[in-house]
Amino acid sequence: MSSRPSIALATAAEVADLDDEGQALAAELRRRGADVSAAVWDDAAIDWSVHDLVVVRSTWDYATRREEFLEWASQVSAVATLANDVATLRWNTDKRYLLDLAAADVPIVPSHFIEPGQSPQHDLLGAEHVAKPSVSAGSKDTLRLGSSEADRSIAHVARISASGRTTLIQPYVEGIDTDGETALLFIDGNFLHAICKAAILRPGADLVDGLFAPEEITRREPSPAEREIADRALAAIPGDHTPLYARVDLLPTPQGPILLELELAEPSMFLPYADGAVARFADAILGRLKP
């Protein structure tokens, strides 16, 4: 490694210059003496071997090209250090990982998967529910469907199946409408901060247009129960590598918090909502550089 380490922050073409969070992180790393570049992950002209470390950040367009994305991650791993690592990305970019967490006694939103070729009929047609691809990001191709929208739900599942994708069906957790969703952020397995995200999905709304749905974010102090569930989720991640970053999204229920998602691929870390968060993330990134 040279005296000035080279770090690439991997992103999508639609945010080729990084989002605000990525730009703040890049500026902090440069202040620490690193050479930092925003690098579009599917740009064939990039020589990834010139970088000491590649950090997956805003690669939000991978969902419709997951295998291509994972092949890219494997190729990068052969010539540079990649964070998060390719095994973690492979496990976490398909929401069937939720079944692994449930098997590890992490309380999750009940999740049912409909494979291509299976009937689009499902047991939640008479209840409010959410239907989305099992490989998705930013609430893309995600619908909140009411108890009277069976035909719309069946049609949505059929469309996902026709594209060769698996559908995830989950009951809609009403507590999010009043209390919001809690996201707990971790760096190197250590708690960083937490935020509250207001409900995104609206009854009768159309599909998200663009890379992701707009979010309403505020600071939040997680409860002891939320911290405990988040710790259990992190402990259930396969392998012996601690992820550079992780986000645990929880929903409130009368029985306690349950896990909606464990995000290890490209989550927003909401760094502006905690003092010193950018600096702590930069510390962790620099700590991943090989001596």
Side-chain angles (χ1 to χ4, degrees):
M1 187 179 73
S2 66
S3 58
R4 289 181 60 85
S6 176
I7 299 172
L9 301 181
T11 187
E14 290 87 341
V15 280
D17 295 325
L18 302 172
D19 61 349
D20 291 345
E21 179 174 285
Q23 290 175 10
L25 183 59
E28 179 65 17
L29 289 166
R30 292 184 184 114
R31 192 183 69 79
R32 308 283 188 93
D35 289 328
V36 183
S37 60
V40 175
W41 71 269
D42 58 350
D43 184 346
I46 293 177
D47 179 3
W48 298 97
S49 68
V50 303
H51 301 294
D52 301 299
L53 176 65
V54 178
V55 182
V56 180
R57 290 310 307 129
S58 41
T59 57
W60 299 319
D61 60 349
Y62 79 88
T64 57
R65 295 178 291 154
R66 177 173 176 260
E67 290 306 316
E68 180 184 343
F69 176 72
L70 293 175
E71 177 60 26
W72 164 82
S74 295
Q75 292 174 1
V76 172
S77 294
V79 297
T81 299
L82 180 70
N84 284 326
D85 66 275
V86 64
T88 297
L89 296 177
R90 182 173 297 279
W91 178 74
N92 190 244
T93 49
D94 188 319
K95 291 178 175 54
R96 280 177 281 202
Y97 73 80
L98 290 168
L99 302 180
D100 294 336
L101 295 181
D105 293 326
V106 177
I108 68 167
V109 177
S111 300
H112 173 65
F113 294 88
I114 301 175
E115 303 295 338
Q118 292 182 332
S119 170
Q121 303 270 352
H122 55 83
D123 292 341
L124 288 178
L125 287 175
E128 190 169 28
H129 62 280
V130 173
K132 59 186 173 184
S134 67
V135 180
S136 61
S139 297
K140 288 282 290 180
D141 293 329
T142 300
L143 287 179
R144 173 181 174 179
L145 296 148
S147 58
S148 63
E149 295 185 282
D151 289 345
R152 190 180 186 211
S153 179
I154 291 169
H156 185 52
V157 174
R159 282 194 298 270
I160 294 173
S161 293
S163 69
R165 295 177 291 171
T166 299
T167 306
L168 168 59
I169 304 291
Q170 296 174 311
Y172 187 78
V173 179
E174 294 180 353
I176 191 175
D177 290 334
T178 53
D179 297 329
E181 170 187 330
T182 300
L184 294 87
L185 295 308
F186 293 82
I187 296 293
D188 278 339
N190 300 309
F191 177 68
L192 182 65
H193 69 119
I195 58 92
C196 173
K197 186 191 302 184
I200 294 175
L201 301 177
R202 305 297 178 189
D206 292 329
L207 295 172
V208 169
D209 184 21
L211 273 180
F212 55 85
E215 298 173 330
E216 180 183 330
I217 306 298
T218 54
R219 296 190 187 198
R220 168 168 283 178
E221 186 67 28
S223 69
E226 289 172 329
R227 285 293 305 272
E228 193 265 336
I229 297 299
D231 289 341
R232 285 165 61 182
L234 295 182
I237 298 171
D240 56 2
H241 297 289
T242 299
L244 171 64
Y245 54 80
R247 194 177 93 199
V248 183
D249 296 339
L250 303 176
L251 297 181
T253 75
Q255 293 76 37
I258 57 176
L259 185 140
L260 175 64
E261 289 196 57
L262 168 61
E263 300 204 47
L264 306 173
E266 33 58 48
S268 294
M269 297 295 287
F270 307 112
L271 301 178
Y273 292 89
D275 296 337
V278 173
R280 286 183 61 186
F281 200 1
D283 285 340
I285 289 173
L286 294 173
R288 292 293 174 116
L289 292 167
K290 294 180 179 179

